[in-house]
Amino acid sequence: MSKAFAVLGLFDSADALMKAIPKVKARKLGRLETYTPYPIHGMDDALELRRSPLGGMVLVMGVIGALTALGFQYWISAIDYPIVTGGKAPWSWEAFIPIMFEVTVLFATFTAGLGMLLLLNKLPFFGHPVLSAKAMRAITRDRFALAVEADPELDAEAAKAALKDAGAQDIEVLDTPEQTPFLTSDFILRTLGGIFVACLVSGFVMFWAIKLFPVLPPMSHMQDQPRLSAQQASTFFKDGRGMRMPVTGTVARGYLPSATGTQEEATALPNPLPRTPEVFAQGKAAFTNRCAVCHGAIGNGMGSLTAAYGAKPANLQAQQFRDYADGKLYWVIVNGKNAMPGHAADLDENQRWAVVHYVRALQRAQNAKDEDLR
Ligand code: HEC
């Protein structure tokens, strides 16, 4: 004889069922469960069911979701690829709220759904043994069942007696059903086989679909939309040109906005170039080509042109210019000073800053301190 899974006692009314619960419970025979045609108030308390942990799980996962979204967006916009969008600082948490909300809801709903189905309802175990009871039909109509279920063992005779004493009109004993394990090798093989066949079929279908309809590139409407190319004429704009001037104050990426600023603004700029041999070589070349004729090879204002030149080039070795900030030297190179022409057109951004480094090297070479010599 197979083992009993549950003993069902049937009652005629919800009242009778509720009254029977404490009596049967007192005997401590196994897990108590009720099956009724409709939900009955007070049943949870009568059975002393503990509160579902689902709410707590959802809360925890929701918080994790919010933090995940916050951290992810922080990493993207403040660390990995900081782009200034709409003038906002990279770390602008207010902008992250919509995504945080979405991910919170995503994590929470998935936890609620999957947690309920897989963890708490113990799927994929489809079907409860009690569903196969003969009394099931009556239970879904007008009868109320109290079941003593194996936990893990069940003394069927004692349970029968207990239910009878508590006033049950009919008693049914349910045997433990044979449970086949879910993940059999057969099941796994069939599933994998099914996936394989599905891939094969869809692969062939795609292959032939593309072969037969080669004139249909995907998303061509994005590619072929009307647009103006650079230098193209346009009837749309009043000046007849397709190209627009950038907004005033636009700064090209990778360039410092200094050439147009005031000397005070430029003074605050740090030299963006590192002090490497390549940078010094570049600075030396530019200085020799552009500055040495007037300022001399060591920058002391004694260039080959100086005698013939009406104005007196500055002695860059003077304390005054040794105290100049890098940005101030840079500004003079760009804008010139009185008789000295600006070199914005002759030297590009990098060359100018490299010259600044080189002028510093010249100054240090002539005014070396003790520690420079070590
Ligand atoms: C055509 C000659 C000439 C050339 C070329 C020249 N300078 Fe000058 N430079 C001058 C003269 C003249 C002055 C003095 C301007 C004044 O104070 O009236 C001067 C002044 C300066 C000053 C001092 C500015 C100040 O604030 O007083 C610096 C720094 C300077 N030059 C750097 C350079 C550098 C770097 C180059 C090369 C990129 C260069 N100059 C090229 C003629 C020249």
Side-chain angles (χ1 to χ4, degrees):
M1 198 188 119
S2 57
K3 282 196 311 176
F5 167 77
V7 180
L8 287 179
L10 295 184
F11 297 82
D12 268 344
S13 69
D15 256 7
L17 173 68
M18 291 295 271
K19 287 208 185 89
I21 292 174
K23 294 183 197 156
V24 179
K25 196 168 192 67
R27 310 240 185 141
K28 296 202 166 53
L29 291 164
R31 190 158 28 89
L32 284 198
E33 194 61 84
T34 55
Y35 301 93
T36 58
Y38 53 83
I40 294 171
H41 278 292
M43 185 56 79
D44 290 12
D45 292 336
L47 288 175
E48 287 167 32
L49 295 181
R50 64 190 171 92
R51 277 193 54 170
S52 164
L54 197 61
M57 286 159 52
V58 169
L59 176 70
V60 169
M61 287 310 284
V63 171
I64 291 180
L67 293 179
T68 306
L70 180 70
F72 188 47
Q73 291 178 94
Y74 171 71
W75 179 76
I76 292 173
S77 13
I79 297 176
D80 190 44
Y81 209 88
I83 293 184
V84 175
T85 318
K88 293 194 303 291
W91 164 239
S92 298
W93 60 269
E94 297 91 335
F96 302 165
I97 291 179
I99 307 277
M100 281 171 69
F101 170 77
E102 297 294 340
V103 179
T104 306
V105 172
L106 181 80
F107 274 44
T109 45
F110 266 83
T111 308
L114 296 180
M116 186 184 79
L117 292 176
L118 300 180
L119 274 177
L120 304 178
N121 291 357
K122 306 206 172 62
L123 289 182
F125 167 52
F126 300 105
H128 195 277
V130 169
L131 289 177
S132 60
K134 284 197 234 35
M136 204 61 220
R137 208 174 261 239
I139 293 171
T140 56
R141 203 168 49 223
D142 59 356
R143 308 204 73 193
F144 304 80
L146 175 58
V148 187
E149 296 181 356
D151 185 25
E153 293 288 309
L154 176 63
D155 180 349
E157 290 310 314
K160 266 191 197 166
L163 286 166
K164 197 116 229 143
D165 291 350
Q169 266 130 1
D170 292 310
I171 307 270
E172 182 178 346
V173 179
L174 287 175
D175 290 339
T176 307
E178 300 233 336
Q179 267 191 39
T180 44
F182 179 60
L183 286 178
T184 55
S185 54
D186 185 52
F187 176 84
I188 295 173
L189 271 180
R190 278 192 213 194
T191 308
L192 290 182
I195 293 174
F196 180 72
V197 171
C199 291
L200 215 62
V201 171
S202 52
F204 268 110
V205 170
M206 276 309 286
F207 177 77
W208 284 108
I210 292 171
K211 241 193 148 55
L212 294 179
F213 304 103
V215 285
L216 294 178
M219 302 290 283
S220 62
H221 51 285
M222 294 277 284
Q223 204 178 330
D224 299 339
Q225 62 185 328
R227 64 183 156 81
L228 289 170
S229 304
Q231 314 293 349
Q232 196 177 323
S234 157
T235 50
F236 185 79
F237 297 108
K238 276 206 185 103
D239 62 4
R241 302 175 194 193
M243 256 153 95
R244 301 287 85 204
M245 289 298 285
V247 178
T248 338
T250 303
V251 176
R253 271 194 95 163
Y255 286 88
L256 292 169
S258 50
T260 52
T262 64
Q263 189 167 12
E264 282 66 41
E265 280 165 16
T267 303
L269 294 174
N271 195 331
L273 298 185
R275 276 186 276 194
T276 59
E278 295 78 42
V279 167
F280 280 115
Q282 190 186 17
K284 182 178 183 178
F287 186 90
T288 313
N289 283 343
R290 296 287 171 186
C291 323
V293 274
C294 298
H295 289 283
I298 59 167
N300 60 0
M302 304 294 195
S304 51
L305 201 64
T306 306
Y309 189 48
K312 191 173 160 18
N315 173 7
L316 300 180
Q317 298 290 351
Q319 185 65 43
Q320 180 196 355
F321 301 119
R322 276 191 272 145
D323 292 342
Y324 263 34
D326 279 0
K328 206 167 175 183
L329 288 176
Y330 172 90
W331 192 87
V332 174
I333 296 174
V334 175
N335 298 287
K337 172 116 195 232
N338 299 330
M340 167 177 161
H343 286 72
D346 310 316
L347 302 173
D348 69 20
E349 196 81 11
N350 283 326
Q351 286 173 315
R352 298 172 207 160
W353 285 114
V355 167
V356 171
H357 271 323
Y358 184 68
V359 170
R360 288 278 176 249
L362 290 177
Q363 291 171 339
R364 239 173 142 183
Q366 300 296 309
N367 298 278
K369 299 194 198 74
D370 273 357
E371 62 256 34
D372 291 333
L373 299 175
R374 274 186 213 134

